[in-house]
Amino acid sequence: MNRFEPNLRIPGPTSLPDVVREAGARQMVNHRGPEFAALQNGIIDRLKKFYKTTNDVLIVTAAGTGGLESAIVSFLSPGDKVLAITIGAFGDRFAKIATVYGADVTKVAFEWGKAADVARVREALVAGGPWKAVLMTQNETSTAVTNPIGQLAATVKEAAPNALIIVDAISGLGAVPFETDAWGLDVVVSGSQKAWMVAPGLSFVSVSPRAWEAAAVAKMPKFYFDLAAHKTSAEAGQTPWTPAVAVMFQLDAALTLMEQEGLDDIWKRHAAVGAAVRAGLTTLGFRLLGDPAYASDTVTGAWIPDDLDWKAFNGKLRKLGLIVAGGQGALKGKIFRIGHLGHVTVPAVLNAMAVLEQTLIELGRPVKPGAAVAAAQVAALETLGVAVPEGTAR
Ligand SMILES: *Cc1c(COP(=O)(O)O)cnc(C)c1O
């Protein structure tokens, strides 16, 4: 971070490490030639390790939403019964895509700020069906809640064993614990601009053998987002359409950084920054939106107090170089969110806490200088298992 570069604390796109940014400036290659084939083959093998899967992983040039659309149109037919578990705006979006393409969608919705309740999902599964697919969101970015995907998937396997499990893991995969194969997930979608520290433009989709069987008979209309076409092309080291080559160069560089750090340490770092942000915001007097038992370690949402002028507050944050996100859908104007995923460190979120503190003090609120920074740092240290000196204020 320098004086002229803001602390971009939104839940994607994230800021880019310098080597990632520079990789995007490389000269183009022939996307039908051997350099591209080597690049894509390498990236796919490396993505599989982060996905923890032996399934196919395909790269689609699109925003994350395009990846979600590909996951619907490639495996389903109009009229298919689909259960959509939703805990917020992105769960609603996934359900909507399926509805637009003619699936027979039943929503099982939970209060925003809560995780999906496994017992209620089981009831919904048993009450309807037969289900062709169940849609779920790993990390609901709009409410800063992480669903218990392992438990939800186990429930689907028990109550609707034939249903494909299709997961939007766009804002969590690569940052927080996730097990594609151990949890038996058929289709898992992620996006380059979230945990992967890469510019927007690529979506990744893993596909199980069971899902490919479904693809063979799927009748939803599709062209650009046909994953079977992506698979055929990938086998020849290509993509069906011209890919975002520069973003692939970036991804290649970012995966090297992620491998150097290691998945366990990446998960630990996100646990630490998540704990730090929650502790800091709470110390500043903010009420958090997400259920603490399912708090996301990639994004945190806090209610805007009635007596805090959001525009003045956010304007001051921006002047001091802190960029945060507002609320989405029903939460617009009611909450703000701090992103802490991908290219994020404990010092970067401590800086965010310092800016929030200073801004609130400038607005005349009774905030003690340094208190939120200290609370955040203690929370991070404790999460990392570092002994905090005796007598440290909490
Ligand atoms: C960001 C995000 C998306 C959408 O990604 P776009 O690239 O904006 O289309 C979908 N789902 C979740 C959970 C996200 O965080």
Side-chain angles (χ1 to χ4, degrees), residues 63-65 68 90 93 137 139 141 168 170-171 193-194:
T65 305
L68 297 178
F90 287 106
R93 182 183 298 183
T137 316
N139 185 75
T141 319
D168 171 352
I170 291 175
S171 65
Q193 80 274 30
K194 304 280 170 98

Side-chain angles (χ1 to χ4, degrees), residues 144-230:
V145 169
T146 302
N147 267 323
I149 294 295
Q151 289 173 41
L152 291 169
T155 303
V156 175
K157 295 213 169 290
E158 191 194 306
N162 294 323
L164 293 176
I165 301 174
I166 307 183
V167 184
D168 171 352
I170 291 175
S171 65
L173 182 48
V176 299
F178 194 86
E179 301 282 344
T180 301
D181 287 356
W183 292 343
L185 310 176
D186 292 291
V187 180
V188 177
V189 182
S190 186
S192 56
Q193 80 274 30
K194 304 280 170 98
W196 310 95
M197 311 183 285
V198 170
L202 299 176
S203 189
F204 321 128
V205 191
S206 74
V207 182
S208 72
R210 223 161 65 116
W212 285 129
E213 283 171 29
V217 294
K219 296 209 169 49
M220 279 187 183
K222 54 189 155 290
F223 187 77
Y224 185 90
F225 288 123
D226 184 352
L227 289 175
H230 283 75

Side-chain angles (χ1 to χ4, degrees), residues 82 94 124 171 227 231 259 265 271 274 281 305 345 378:
V82 171
F94 210 4
S171 65
L227 289 175
K231 178 176 165 65
E259 286 161 356
D265 283 350
L281 289 178
T345 58
V378 168

